[in-house]
Amino acid sequence: MNSSAKASPWWTPSVHADRRPLLIGRNAIQAALRGFFAREDFIEVDTAVLQVSPGNEAHLHAFATEALTTDGQKAPFYLHTSPEFACKKLLAAGEERISCFAHVYRNRERGPLHHPEFTMLEWYRAGESYESLMMDCVRILALATETVKTGKLAYRGAESDPFAGPERTSVAEAFERHAGIDLLASVVADGSTDRDHLAAEMKRVGMRVADDDGWADLFSRVLVEKIEPHLGFGRITILDEYPVSEAALARPSARDSRVAERFELYACGVELANGFGELTNAAEQRRRFEIEMAEKARVYGETYPIDEDFLAALSLMPEASGIALGFDRLVMLATGASRIDQVLWAPVAEYGR
């Protein structure tokens, strides 16, 4: 067989027949999760894809489009990278427990674990701690494997038991254990960071450091190269208490001002979810967005607008916890699929070919 031959399209009957059991499993898991949230008294909501801002994270890339007014004037819009802004506006409006299966869009992303259009499952609990989300995750992962009768999460030869108690570790503990680096020694009490200190620590343990790397670049390199390869094997891992400079939309911890109420969920080395004790301080959120957009301008030469309605809604939003889970990745691991496009009913066309 010619190794350069193009693979058959997903809609070829033989290819679809191979994928169909995984897709049926996807539907079953989605139905089971809808039942889970209904039993927990959640309201399922649906949010608009078109937004004035797609989100304000430096390294997330959006799809841009434009709307035409009735008189033909153009107005810029973006396909959202998450339903988060809309969901939080609904919390401000008075909803208390909401869940959302949202198609979301991220540019510059395609691979075994990434797709330009995918499904994000988000849910929010007003008046509840972010530890409640951790318990939700444990129950959801177990339910997914029970539904498709695999009883485990698996990815490329690795396995994770969702019924075993999860490992919960802080980011600082993980840096010490897996990289031999004292992360919080490079974080000041006010949340500011010491780039040179972290760079020196990385050089000490033999890691690469570039002259133009900022503290966030160095943090991400250690996380990807030294930490993530150890997470979620045998049992799921909850990686908790991110440095406050990496808090995104999470509030600072009352226990230690250097860290935030943010956790990520891992199984088989794969990141599945990102949860927050939500920040409701509009001024602080604006400051973080501006820092992120300055970094985006520096690295990529572009920025995205800030959603002023979202910042205004924060003044009405109650204390809450919220989380985004990659639904397609969960289906992958529950069914044992090796690529995300195997669990998408109709993948986005291959481009650039």
Side-chain angles (χ1 to χ4, degrees):
M1 179 179 176
N2 184 351
S3 60
S4 64
K6 188 174 181 179
S8 298
W10 59 264
W11 45 263
T12 303
S14 60
V15 175
H16 181 67
D18 289 339
R19 297 190 326 121
R20 193 171 186 276
L22 303 175
L23 299 170
I24 297 300
R26 173 195 179 95
N27 284 17
I29 292 172
Q30 188 170 39
L33 295 190
R34 283 195 159 113
F36 167 83
F37 286 111
R39 290 188 296 274
E40 291 287 311
D41 295 323
F42 280 74
I43 299 295
E44 183 169 347
V45 301
D46 191 21
T47 60
V49 168
L50 288 173
Q51 298 287 336
V52 297
S53 174
N56 297 103
E57 295 184 43
H59 302 294
L60 283 186
H61 302 278
F63 287 88
T65 186
E66 59 185 20
L68 296 177
T69 63
T70 54
D71 60 356
Q73 298 299 308
K74 295 179 179 179
F77 274 89
Y78 298 87
L79 306 188
H80 66 179
T81 58
S82 161
E84 182 171 9
F85 290 1
C87 285
K88 289 181 177 177
K89 291 173 185 176
L90 287 169
L91 293 178
E95 295 297 338
E96 296 183 346
R97 289 189 178 186
I98 57 176
S99 62
C100 178
F101 282 95
H103 277 234
V104 298
Y105 305 83
R106 297 187 179 182
N107 222 336
R108 298 195 184 193
E109 294 192 10
R110 189 155 200 156
L113 290 168
H114 297 86
H115 204 70
E117 178 180 353
F118 62 99
T119 299
M120 187 85 82
L121 168 60
E122 292 201 9
W123 68 98
Y124 294 82
R125 290 177 174 268
E128 299 184 60
S129 72
Y130 81 136
E131 282 85 359
S132 64
L133 303 177
M134 299 177 190
M135 298 309 300
D136 287 340
C137 288
V138 172
R139 295 165 66 192
I140 283 170
L141 266 57
L143 177 59
T145 64
E146 286 177 328
T147 300
V148 293
K149 298 180 173 54
T150 57
K152 64 183 179 182
L153 300 162
Y155 182 66
R156 297 193 169 184
E159 294 185 0
S160 185
D161 181 358
F163 301 96
E167 173 196 24
R168 181 178 175 183
T169 184
S170 72
V171 174
E173 291 167 344
F175 267 62
E176 181 65 40
R177 182 185 314 145
H178 300 301
I181 292 173
D182 182 354
L183 175 67
L184 293 184
S186 69
V187 182
V188 185
D190 65 2
S192 59
T193 55
D194 185 339
R195 181 264 179 202
D196 291 340
H197 187 282
L198 182 54
E201 283 286 280
M202 291 174 63
K203 290 177 181 177
R204 179 181 61 79
V205 298
M207 293 192 69
R208 176 177 61 87
V209 174
D211 291 341
D212 61 347
D213 281 335
W215 187 94
D217 300 313
L218 300 175
F219 171 83
S220 294
R221 184 169 303 132
V222 178
L223 186 66
V224 170
E225 294 180 9
K226 298 293 186 178
I227 311 302
E228 290 184 335
H230 298 281
L231 303 181
F233 294 93
R235 58 178 176 156
I236 61 177
T237 299
I238 295 169
L239 186 65
D240 191 17
E241 295 189 338
Y242 276 65
V244 74
S245 62
E246 299 295 309
L249 288 85
R251 61 180 170 241
S253 169
R255 186 189 64 79
D256 185 341
S257 63
R258 296 174 298 173
V259 300
E261 291 188 358
R262 175 186 175 185
F263 75 90
E264 294 198 352
L265 177 73
Y266 287 84
C268 306
V270 176
E271 179 204 338
L272 287 175
N274 189 11
F276 300 153
E278 301 292 356
L279 180 68
T280 55
N281 183 320
E284 171 61 15
Q285 190 64 78
R286 182 187 296 277
R287 186 188 71 84
R288 293 184 190 179
F289 283 165
E290 290 173 347
I291 290 172
E292 287 290 304
M293 290 301 91
E295 178 68 2
K296 191 174 193 67
R298 182 186 73 84
V299 177
Y300 304 108
E302 65 173 345
T303 63
Y304 298 140
I306 290 175
D307 184 341
E308 295 294 341
D309 270 358
F310 169 67
L311 293 180
L314 288 184
S315 65
L316 297 177
M317 182 178 150
E319 294 291 310
S321 59
I323 187 167
L325 182 146
F327 176 67
D328 313 284
R329 288 187 180 184
L330 173 60
V331 174
M332 283 180 63
L333 269 60
T335 61
S338 60
R339 292 184 57 87
I340 194 170
D341 53 16
Q342 292 176 311
V343 298
L344 302 176
W345 277 95
V348 173
E350 290 278 358
Y351 45 83
R353 289 188 175 182

